[in-house]
Amino acid sequence: MKEITIQELDDFKIGHAQDLEKGTGCTVIICEQGATAGVDVRGGGPATRETDLLNPKNMVQQIHAVTLAGGSAFGLEASCGVMEYLSEHKIGFDMKGITIPIVSGACLFDCSVSDPKAYPSKKMGYQACENAQNNLPQEGCVGAGTGASVGKFTGFDKAMKAGLGIAAYQVGELKLAAIVAVNACGDVYFENSNQPIAGIYDYQKKCRISTTDWMLENEPVIDSCGMNTTIGCIITNAELSKAQINKVASMAHNGYARTIRPVHTSNDGDTIFAMASQKTKADPDVVGVLASKAMAKAIENACIKATPLYGLTTYSEIQASKKAPKD
């Protein structure tokens, strides 16, 4: 296994659009030739679009894009801009004189960081598609991760800034990448460790508080109800059936479980899509294992590469302060 760039999965294009001032944005993952796709929704409060058609029992065999967005349920509008762009560029199914693309999507709640009424609009979704033509996606506080934060279980005053992360790997001819916007209710840790990256942070005492420990030791007073959700997408060049790519989406949630504690709560809408471009024969279980590995790394990157915004600190800022010389 070796690390690669996400651009090496050349059947896909990824683009962001965001409004830093208002604290929201969206990310689009496009497969112009169509990809076999699946999804696994595990959080208790999802905001999703076109997930039922990804069930293997249903007719549609390919989708053309996945939209990840902020704005809670309002952010689903961004997918309409993605549809408009794809249709104008003849990407989709030709149906009696009109091109109909299939666009799935999911949203996270970022309405608490800046402008509570801001959300990714149709125009922003269209812009993300335009930016995807450059296929130079950044990480951190961009796209769907613009307004993302973690550690809100005891209230937003102790949250930390998170963002969007990417990780890509290759095994033989198999290539796979994960894209994820981290807005979890729980804390984020380095994979399979007790070393925290982001979560509840006491700004006065300058110390971290374990969400899990706090939940088990205190009466539940949740100010952040519904203000969470981690949303992501796996892309791969593997040749997989609709049932198999749904299984890959399911296995990718192991990456969530290895890095986020607690995960899949009733206050999260945790969702993972998976898209396969059908270019390389691969064992579905190998793809699933690689997907969980890539997703865990992408979650780490989403928090490590976040920058301080909206009054929220980050892992990098805390680490820098520890290394700063003392007066």
Side-chain angles (χ1 to χ4, degrees), residues 183-237:
N183 194 60
C185 178
D187 306 325
V188 177
Y189 291 79
F190 285 99
E191 183 181 5
N192 290 331
S193 80
N194 291 319
Q195 184 179 353
I197 304 175
I200 300 176
Y201 185 75
D202 189 318
Y203 284 79
Q204 292 184 335
K205 297 180 180 179
K206 298 188 181 304
C207 67
R208 301 178 189 273
I209 300 169
S210 163
T211 297
T212 301
D213 290 348
W214 197 97
M215 290 174 70
L216 297 176
E217 295 170 4
N218 295 273
E219 291 293 324
V221 180
I222 307 172
D223 295 328
S224 62
C225 181
M227 297 182 185
N228 306 291
T229 296
T230 299
I231 50 177
C233 185
I234 297 294
I235 58 174
T236 179
N237 66 348

Side-chain angles (χ1 to χ4, degrees), residues 234-245:
I234 297 294
I235 58 174
T236 179
N237 66 348
E239 183 179 322
L240 299 171
S241 70
K242 200 172 176 183
Q244 288 169 334
I245 195 65

